[in-house]
Amino acid sequence: MDNILIILSGLIYTNKIMYNQAGKLSHYLKGNVSIKTLQVIEAKDVEENNTIIFMFPISSQTIPSCMLDYMKNNEKLMNHKTIYSVIYCDEYEVDYCDYADEILSLYCKNTHANYKGFLKVGAYFLINHIPYKWRVANTLKSFASDIRKEKESALDIMFFSKNQFIKQGNKFWEKAYRSKKE
């Protein structure tokens, strides 16, 4: 298996949740995997790895500006790399990730990289507050399996059914309301 680089491609404050997920993904990949953030990555980090996994949260359905800037300034480094993405959105529906996925796909085509697919994660801000962490782990395992086998991947996960999501949201707001009242 190739060397793999996971690039946390969000702003510093969003990297905490992604770093935990990157660590789990690294474990499931069972190979030579390194994790870097955009804030500390160097050209040699990309050059030494054949497979790149961009992990990033979206806002307004698009890639973060810091990642777009990195992509623009490092197009030559992506030549002939295999690229995957893990796209986090704060919305319940993962189809909010579609534009970001399309941008990354076109970027890979223009830089002669091989875009192999994605894992889209809905309502990512709830990852650390859900009783269904096993669902996240199982999906990360499936994604890691696709990467190890160098397969195309098109996975997504939403942690709750829509009714559960609404119920959890109502519990959160009721608790917040009570704490303000006291």
Side-chain angles (χ1 to χ4, degrees):
M1 187 165 91
D2 294 336
N3 293 337
I4 299 173
L5 173 63
I6 299 174
I7 303 175
L8 302 180
S9 306
L11 299 173
I12 292 172
Y13 72 91
T14 64
N15 287 342
K16 182 179 180 185
I17 291 174
M18 292 188 305
Y19 191 80
N20 292 336
Q21 298 300 301
K24 290 176 186 175
L25 181 58
S26 173
H27 172 75
Y28 298 137
L29 286 167
K30 301 176 183 161
N32 189 11
V33 181
S34 54
I35 302 169
K36 298 282 184 167
T37 65
L38 285 180
Q39 292 78 18
V40 300
I41 196 165
E42 297 177 10
K44 71 178 175 83
D45 295 320
V46 175
E47 292 165 353
E48 293 171 353
N49 294 280
N50 302 325
T51 301
I52 310 294
I53 303 169
F54 285 105
M55 293 183 97
F56 58 94
I58 61 167
S59 177
S60 303
Q61 301 179 343
T62 192
I63 294 173
S65 59
C66 57
M67 182 175 164
L68 288 172
D69 187 51
Y70 178 82
M71 290 165 54
K72 178 182 162 200
N73 293 327
N74 293 285
E75 289 180 351
K76 291 179 183 171
L77 293 175
M78 298 301 155
N79 193 15
H80 301 294
K81 300 289 182 187
T82 299
I83 309 288
Y84 289 91
S85 64
V86 180
I87 308 170
Y88 295 93
C89 71
D90 54 1
E91 303 293 334
Y92 173 76
E93 298 87 359
V94 294
D95 53 344
Y96 280 89
C97 302
D98 291 348
Y99 292 123
D101 177 55
E102 188 176 333
I103 290 168
L104 195 52
S105 177
L106 290 170
Y107 172 78
C108 288
K109 184 177 179 181
N110 289 337
T111 60
H112 306 289
N114 185 14
Y115 188 55
K116 294 285 234 169
F118 55 81
L119 167 58
K120 297 175 183 175
V121 181
Y124 84 95
F125 57 89
L126 294 174
I127 287 175
N128 292 330
H129 307 285
I130 60 169
Y132 306 107
K133 291 184 180 178
W134 57 270
R135 290 187 66 201
V136 178
N138 287 343
T139 305
L140 283 172
K141 284 179 189 175
S142 296
F143 188 58
S145 176
D146 288 348
I147 294 168
R148 280 195 318 271
K149 295 174 185 173
E150 299 179 6
K151 289 175 48 178
E152 297 276 329
S153 187
L155 298 172
D156 59 57
I157 183 169
M158 293 172 282
F159 308 111
F160 304 106
S161 69
K162 198 161 211 161
N163 286 339
Q164 289 171 318
F165 182 76
I166 292 168
K167 185 177 177 180
Q168 293 295 326
N170 287 340
K171 280 184 186 179
F172 172 82
W173 288 114
E174 286 171 9
K175 185 178 176 181
Y177 176 74
R178 281 194 303 269
S179 70
K180 295 273 188 207
K181 231 176 151 181
E182 297 169 353

